[in-house]
Structure formats: C-alpha cells, structure tokens
Amino acid sequence: GTNYTFENTETSPKTYKVRAIGYRDGWADSAIATSSLYTLKARVSTPVFDPSVDSTNSDRDTTLAVSWSVCCSGTIRYTIDGHDPAFDNGTIGTNYTFENTETSPKTYKVRAIGYRDGWADSAIATSSLYTLKARVSTPVFDPSVDSTNSDRETTLAVSWSVCCSGTIRYTIDGHDPCLLYTSPSPRDS
C-alpha cells in the first residue's frame, strides 16, 4: 500500500522508523528509503466507570454515586448533558452524585475524557444509562405546626399527603418511620 496510519493506544510514547521499497513487476526495485524517527505521544487511558451500568442494575434508588478513573495522573472532564467533553468543555472531576428529587424517573448518561499535558487525549467514554427511581414527595402536614399553634386542646386532627398515590408510614414516638421499624408499630395511611 501507499499509506499507513500509526496510532499509539498505549500509556507510554511509541517510536516508529519506517523503511520502504518501491517495486513493480518487470522493473528493478528501488533503493530502500529510511525515515527519521516518528514518536507518538502516550495516550491517556479511556475513563472507566464505577459502578458500570448494564441491564441488570439500571433501575437505581434516587441517588447514585458514580466515579471514573484514568491512568497516569490524567485529568478527567465529564458532561451529563449529552455533549462531548473536551479540554474546554465539561466539568473537571472524578466523580458525580446523581440525585433525583423529581416525581418521575430520571435518566443520566455520563461522557468522560482523560487528558494530560504532553499526552494524547483519551477516547471519550460513554456510560450506559443510569436510571434513578422517582421520589415520592415529602409529606405535607395540615395544619402545619409552628410556635404560634403548638398550644392546642387535648385533641388535634392532623392530615398529610404525598403525591403519586404514595403510602405514608409514620410514628408518634419520635423514631424515624421505616419499613423495618417494629416497636411501637408504625402506622400506614
């Protein structure tokens, strides 16, 4: 062939010297030509996501911490808006905590690139989709309790509500309500 593309995918510089000869049937071969040395920069490794996402773990809770790393003390820029990260685009960092505070599931995709002065940038890594569950809204009390209405009679009816047909668990003894709380019994409404 007449063309060859050299590429360094390793984390150390790579040097090439090309030797070429021209030939054709029925003709005498050319002299051998030798190039100078071609040195290609080392390449920062492609970012690796932790945790990785696949179809078995894509439905997450409402928060998920994701980290990524590259070799060789490289710097990482990342985006979560679908645009390619670059030296002048994206946020510098090695982790991001996704949080869904909305009442519908939210999906994220991370794109990250590693770079270092004097090195070739890494390939852009794209995560699979991180899907976080919707969050039930925080219960709202009616009437609300503040310092102006805390001195009540001996009975008080309080109601609360959440969006999305959610169930409310509550306690009246100061403990946090949860699915595993047993004494005294939590109440569902």
PDB file of all heavy atoms in Angstrom, residues 72-87:
ATOM      1  N   CYS A  72      -2.131   7.319  34.884  1.00  0.00           N
ATOM      2  CA  CYS A  72      -1.057   8.281  34.613  1.00  0.00           C
ATOM      3  C   CYS A  72      -1.309   9.692  35.124  1.00  0.00           C
ATOM      4  O   CYS A  72      -0.876  10.652  34.496  1.00  0.00           O
ATOM      5  CB  CYS A  72      -0.772   8.356  33.118  1.00  0.00           C
ATOM      6  SG  CYS A  72      -0.896   6.789  32.277  1.00  0.00           S
ATOM      7  N   SER A  73      -2.034   9.855  36.193  1.00  0.00           N
ATOM      8  CA  SER A  73      -2.321  11.174  36.759  1.00  0.00           C
ATOM      9  C   SER A  73      -3.022  12.087  35.768  1.00  0.00           C
ATOM     10  O   SER A  73      -2.832  13.293  35.784  1.00  0.00           O
ATOM     11  CB  SER A  73      -1.039  11.836  37.262  1.00  0.00           C
ATOM     12  OG  SER A  73      -0.415  11.023  38.213  1.00  0.00           O
ATOM     13  N   GLY A  74      -3.824  11.512  34.913  1.00  0.00           N
ATOM     14  CA  GLY A  74      -4.574  12.309  33.955  1.00  0.00           C
ATOM     15  C   GLY A  74      -5.708  13.052  34.632  1.00  0.00           C
ATOM     16  O   GLY A  74      -6.152  12.702  35.718  1.00  0.00           O
ATOM     17  N   THR A  75      -6.164  14.106  33.991  1.00  0.00           N
ATOM     18  CA  THR A  75      -7.305  14.871  34.451  1.00  0.00           C
ATOM     19  C   THR A  75      -8.512  14.430  33.644  1.00  0.00           C
ATOM     20  O   THR A  75      -8.384  14.101  32.468  1.00  0.00           O
ATOM     21  CB  THR A  75      -7.053  16.380  34.236  1.00  0.00           C
ATOM     22  OG1 THR A  75      -5.884  16.752  34.969  1.00  0.00           O
ATOM     23  CG2 THR A  75      -8.227  17.216  34.704  1.00  0.00           C
ATOM     24  N   ILE A  76      -9.674  14.429  34.282  1.00  0.00           N
ATOM     25  CA  ILE A  76     -10.883  13.997  33.589  1.00  0.00           C
ATOM     26  C   ILE A  76     -11.869  15.156  33.516  1.00  0.00           C
ATOM     27  O   ILE A  76     -12.096  15.850  34.494  1.00  0.00           O
ATOM     28  CB  ILE A  76     -11.540  12.817  34.324  1.00  0.00           C
ATOM     29  CG1 ILE A  76     -10.602  11.609  34.343  1.00  0.00           C
ATOM     30  CG2 ILE A  76     -12.867  12.439  33.671  1.00  0.00           C
ATOM     31  CD1 ILE A  76     -11.101  10.464  35.179  1.00  0.00           C
ATOM     32  N   ARG A  77     -12.429  15.332  32.331  1.00  0.00           N
ATOM     33  CA  ARG A  77     -13.563  16.239  32.164  1.00  0.00           C
ATOM     34  C   ARG A  77     -14.750  15.376  31.798  1.00  0.00           C
ATOM     35  O   ARG A  77     -14.622  14.417  31.048  1.00  0.00           O
ATOM     36  CB  ARG A  77     -13.315  17.244  31.046  1.00  0.00           C
ATOM     37  CG  ARG A  77     -12.499  18.415  31.498  1.00  0.00           C
ATOM     38  CD  ARG A  77     -12.640  19.565  30.505  1.00  0.00           C
ATOM     39  NE  ARG A  77     -11.776  20.643  30.874  1.00  0.00           N
ATOM     40  CZ  ARG A  77     -12.141  21.685  31.610  1.00  0.00           C
ATOM     41  NH1 ARG A  77     -13.367  21.776  32.042  1.00  0.00           N
ATOM     42  NH2 ARG A  77     -11.288  22.628  31.910  1.00  0.00           N
ATOM     43  N   TYR A  78     -15.912  15.742  32.346  1.00  0.00           N
ATOM     44  CA  TYR A  78     -17.103  14.963  32.056  1.00  0.00           C
ATOM     45  C   TYR A  78     -18.288  15.882  31.792  1.00  0.00           C
ATOM     46  O   TYR A  78     -18.291  17.047  32.172  1.00  0.00           O
ATOM     47  CB  TYR A  78     -17.428  14.003  33.209  1.00  0.00           C
ATOM     48  CG  TYR A  78     -17.862  14.702  34.469  1.00  0.00           C
ATOM     49  CD1 TYR A  78     -19.209  14.944  34.723  1.00  0.00           C
ATOM     50  CD2 TYR A  78     -16.934  15.127  35.403  1.00  0.00           C
ATOM     51  CE1 TYR A  78     -19.614  15.593  35.877  1.00  0.00           C
ATOM     52  CE2 TYR A  78     -17.330  15.779  36.568  1.00  0.00           C
ATOM     53  CZ  TYR A  78     -18.675  16.002  36.790  1.00  0.00           C
ATOM     54  OH  TYR A  78     -19.065  16.655  37.933  1.00  0.00           O
ATOM     55  N   THR A  79     -19.270  15.324  31.090  1.00  0.00           N
ATOM     56  CA  THR A  79     -20.531  16.015  30.872  1.00  0.00           C
ATOM     57  C   THR A  79     -21.659  15.042  31.192  1.00  0.00           C
ATOM     58  O   THR A  79     -21.485  13.824  31.108  1.00  0.00           O
ATOM     59  CB  THR A  79     -20.693  16.500  29.420  1.00  0.00           C
ATOM     60  OG1 THR A  79     -20.671  15.361  28.549  1.00  0.00           O
ATOM     61  CG2 THR A  79     -19.595  17.469  29.030  1.00  0.00           C
ATOM     62  N   ILE A  80     -22.809  15.594  31.556  1.00  0.00           N
ATOM     63  CA  ILE A  80     -24.000  14.763  31.752  1.00  0.00           C
ATOM     64  C   ILE A  80     -25.153  15.285  30.912  1.00  0.00           C
ATOM     65  O   ILE A  80     -26.289  14.859  31.072  1.00  0.00           O
ATOM     66  CB  ILE A  80     -24.411  14.691  33.245  1.00  0.00           C
ATOM     67  CG1 ILE A  80     -24.690  16.072  33.806  1.00  0.00           C
ATOM     68  CG2 ILE A  80     -23.363  13.976  34.064  1.00  0.00           C
ATOM     69  CD1 ILE A  80     -25.303  16.067  35.192  1.00  0.00           C
ATOM     70  N   ASP A  81     -24.837  16.194  29.985  1.00  0.00           N
ATOM     71  CA  ASP A  81     -25.889  16.792  29.156  1.00  0.00           C
ATOM     72  C   ASP A  81     -25.896  16.246  27.731  1.00  0.00           C
ATOM     73  O   ASP A  81     -26.594  16.755  26.872  1.00  0.00           O
ATOM     74  CB  ASP A  81     -25.746  18.312  29.130  1.00  0.00           C
ATOM     75  CG  ASP A  81     -24.440  18.769  28.488  1.00  0.00           C
ATOM     76  OD1 ASP A  81     -23.651  17.914  28.029  1.00  0.00           O
ATOM     77  OD2 ASP A  81     -24.199  19.987  28.454  1.00  0.00           O
ATOM     78  N   GLY A  82     -25.102  15.214  27.464  1.00  0.00           N
ATOM     79  CA  GLY A  82     -25.084  14.611  26.132  1.00  0.00           C
ATOM     80  C   GLY A  82     -24.024  15.166  25.203  1.00  0.00           C
ATOM     81  O   GLY A  82     -23.747  14.587  24.171  1.00  0.00           O
ATOM     82  N   HIS A  83     -23.388  16.292  25.555  1.00  0.00           N
ATOM     83  CA  HIS A  83     -22.337  16.867  24.716  1.00  0.00           C
ATOM     84  C   HIS A  83     -21.007  16.168  24.988  1.00  0.00           C
ATOM     85  O   HIS A  83     -20.774  15.657  26.082  1.00  0.00           O
ATOM     86  CB  HIS A  83     -22.198  18.371  24.989  1.00  0.00           C
ATOM     87  CG  HIS A  83     -23.371  19.150  24.508  1.00  0.00           C
ATOM     88  ND1 HIS A  83     -24.452  19.432  25.313  1.00  0.00           N
ATOM     89  CD2 HIS A  83     -23.640  19.686  23.301  1.00  0.00           C
ATOM     90  CE1 HIS A  83     -25.342  20.122  24.620  1.00  0.00           C
ATOM     91  NE2 HIS A  83     -24.869  20.296  23.390  1.00  0.00           N
ATOM     92  N   ASP A  84     -20.137  16.196  23.991  1.00  0.00           N
ATOM     93  CA  ASP A  84     -18.804  15.624  24.166  1.00  0.00           C
ATOM     94  C   ASP A  84     -17.975  16.499  25.097  1.00  0.00           C
ATOM     95  O   ASP A  84     -17.928  17.720  24.920  1.00  0.00           O
ATOM     96  CB  ASP A  84     -18.069  15.515  22.825  1.00  0.00           C
ATOM     97  CG  ASP A  84     -18.569  14.364  21.979  1.00  0.00           C
ATOM     98  OD1 ASP A  84     -19.295  13.509  22.514  1.00  0.00           O
ATOM     99  OD2 ASP A  84     -18.216  14.316  20.795  1.00  0.00           O
ATOM    100  N   PRO A  85     -17.302  15.888  26.067  1.00  0.00           N
ATOM    101  CA  PRO A  85     -16.369  16.665  26.879  1.00  0.00           C
ATOM    102  C   PRO A  85     -15.100  16.929  26.075  1.00  0.00           C
ATOM    103  O   PRO A  85     -14.754  16.169  25.179  1.00  0.00           O
ATOM    104  CB  PRO A  85     -16.092  15.747  28.069  1.00  0.00           C
ATOM    105  CG  PRO A  85     -16.284  14.370  27.519  1.00  0.00           C
ATOM    106  CD  PRO A  85     -17.365  14.494  26.470  1.00  0.00           C
ATOM    107  N   ALA A  86     -14.430  18.005  26.396  1.00  0.00           N
ATOM    108  CA  ALA A  86     -13.167  18.357  25.739  1.00  0.00           C
ATOM    109  C   ALA A  86     -12.371  19.193  26.728  1.00  0.00           C
ATOM    110  O   ALA A  86     -12.849  19.517  27.810  1.00  0.00           O
ATOM    111  CB  ALA A  86     -13.425  19.133  24.457  1.00  0.00           C
ATOM    112  N   PHE A  87     -11.163  19.565  26.332  1.00  0.00           N
ATOM    113  CA  PHE A  87     -10.311  20.361  27.207  1.00  0.00           C
ATOM    114  C   PHE A  87     -11.013  21.624  27.691  1.00  0.00           C
ATOM    115  O   PHE A  87     -10.834  22.062  28.805  1.00  0.00           O
ATOM    116  CB  PHE A  87      -8.997  20.707  26.495  1.00  0.00           C
ATOM    117  CG  PHE A  87      -8.057  21.501  27.348  1.00  0.00           C
ATOM    118  CD1 PHE A  87      -7.322  20.875  28.335  1.00  0.00           C
ATOM    119  CD2 PHE A  87      -7.936  22.872  27.182  1.00  0.00           C
ATOM    120  CE1 PHE A  87      -6.468  21.602  29.153  1.00  0.00           C
ATOM    121  CE2 PHE A  87      -7.081  23.612  27.987  1.00  0.00           C
ATOM    122  CZ  PHE A  87      -6.346  22.963  28.977  1.00  0.00           C
TER     123      PHE A  87
END
